[in-house]
């Protein structure tokens, strides 16, 4: 199957012949595991940093930041916004696994910029139950980075909030643009 056919199959969630996308991933894992050698490292990130970023598939965080396996904790969600669950993960990262720095990465062209909280209401109408979570949609990516930085800096659960920085990743150039926090 051609690369474009694989991409098309991946993007639509269809089967690849008789093989599903998940079947293909499991097969790839078996090939990976055949040559795998335990790196002998612990769960504590070598660089003591946690990266919070959007789940957007166009962003290869390790490559974009020059990170290697074991360097950081990576927390990804829609928009890269700091939610209660993000604070939960950061708290465990800092208190149990010794991270000290937090880098927040949003990006240009984020899908959350085209959604509203109406998304939740539409889901409620469709399935009969309103989600307990907020969409956390935004129109101004810089302002949302500032809000996320503020959420980290003011969380009572996080003991290390002095090295928190926020950025916007440009999906067309690959460059990070730093966002100044609220003054």
């Amino acid at each position: 199957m051609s690369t474009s056919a694989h991409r098309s199959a991946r993007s639509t969630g269809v089967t690849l012949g008789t093989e599903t996308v998940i079947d293909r991933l499991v097969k790839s894992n078996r090939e990976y595991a055949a040559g795998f050698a335990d790196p002998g490292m612990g769960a504590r990130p070598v660089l003591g940093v946690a990266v919070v970023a959007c789940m957007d598939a166009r962003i290869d965080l390790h490559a974009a930041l020059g990170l290697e396996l074991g360097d950081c904790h990576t927390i990804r969600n829609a928009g890269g916004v700091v939610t209660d669950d993000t604070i939960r993960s950061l708290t465990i990262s800092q208190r149990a696994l010794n991270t000290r720095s937090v880098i927040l990465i949003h990006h240009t062209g984020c899908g959350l910029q085209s959604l509203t909280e109406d998304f939740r209401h539409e889901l409620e109408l469709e399935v009969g139950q309103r989600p307990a979570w907020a969409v956390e949609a935004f129109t101004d990516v810089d302002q949302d980075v500032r809000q996320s930085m503020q959420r980290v800096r003011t969380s009572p659960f996080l003991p290390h909030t002095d090295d928190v920085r926020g950025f916007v990743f440009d999906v067309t150039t690959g460059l990070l643009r730093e966002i100044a926090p609220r003054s």
Side-chain angles (χ1 to χ4, degrees), residues 151-170:
R151 286 178 177 173
V152 171
R153 287 189 171 129
T154 60
S155 173
F157 307 110
L158 299 173
H160 307 287
T161 59
D162 56 327
D163 190 18
V164 178
R165 293 170 62 187
F167 298 82
V168 174
F169 177 85
D170 187 314

Side-chain angles (χ1 to χ4, degrees), residues 83-85 117 119-125 127-136 151:
T83 61
D84 286 346
D85 195 57
E117 288 301 316
F119 183 80
R120 289 178 67 225
H121 302 297
E122 292 164 6
L123 280 173
E124 180 180 13
L125 291 174
V127 302
Q129 179 179 345
R130 180 177 291 171
W133 40 264
V135 174
E136 297 279 354
R151 286 178 177 173

Side-chain angles (χ1 to χ4, degrees), residues 106-117:
H106 287 37
H107 67 92
T108 58
C110 185
L112 280 187
Q113 291 177 287
S114 62
L115 291 177
T116 67
E117 288 301 316

Side-chain angles (χ1 to χ4, degrees), residues 3-141:
T3 302
S4 62
H6 274 294
R7 283 195 178 114
S8 175
R10 285 192 307 212
S11 66
T12 60
V14 297
T15 60
L16 305 170
T18 59
E19 183 180 63
T20 68
V21 172
I22 294 173
D23 290 336
R24 194 183 109 234
L25 297 175
V26 171
K27 180 180 175 185
S28 292
N29 172 258
R30 287 189 187 110
E31 293 168 6
Y32 167 79
F36 184 78
D38 180 357
M41 60 180 70
R44 290 183 178 199
V46 173
L47 298 179
V49 65
V51 180
V52 178
C54 185
M55 64 188 192
D56 192 295
R58 296 173 290 180
I59 305 169
D60 182 347
L61 283 174
H62 277 76
L65 299 174
L67 295 167
E68 300 292 331
L69 181 67
D71 282 348
C72 72
H73 282 156
T74 305
I75 303 161
R76 294 185 81 154
N77 65 25
V81 296
V82 174
T83 61
D84 286 346
D85 195 57
T86 306
I87 294 293
R88 171 189 162 271
S89 294
L90 287 171
T91 301
I92 292 166
S93 178
Q94 287 191 357
R95 291 182 177 268
L97 296 164
N98 214 31
T99 60
R100 297 293 182 263
S101 301
V102 179
I103 181 171
L104 306 171
I105 302 177
H106 287 37
H107 67 92
T108 58
C110 185
L112 280 187
Q113 291 177 287
S114 62
L115 291 177
T116 67
E117 288 301 316
D118 289 340
F119 183 80
R120 289 178 67 225
H121 302 297
E122 292 164 6
L123 280 173
E124 180 180 13
L125 291 174
E126 181 183 326
V127 302
Q129 179 179 345
R130 180 177 291 171
W133 40 264
V135 174
E136 297 279 354
F138 55 87
T139 56
D140 183 336
V141 67

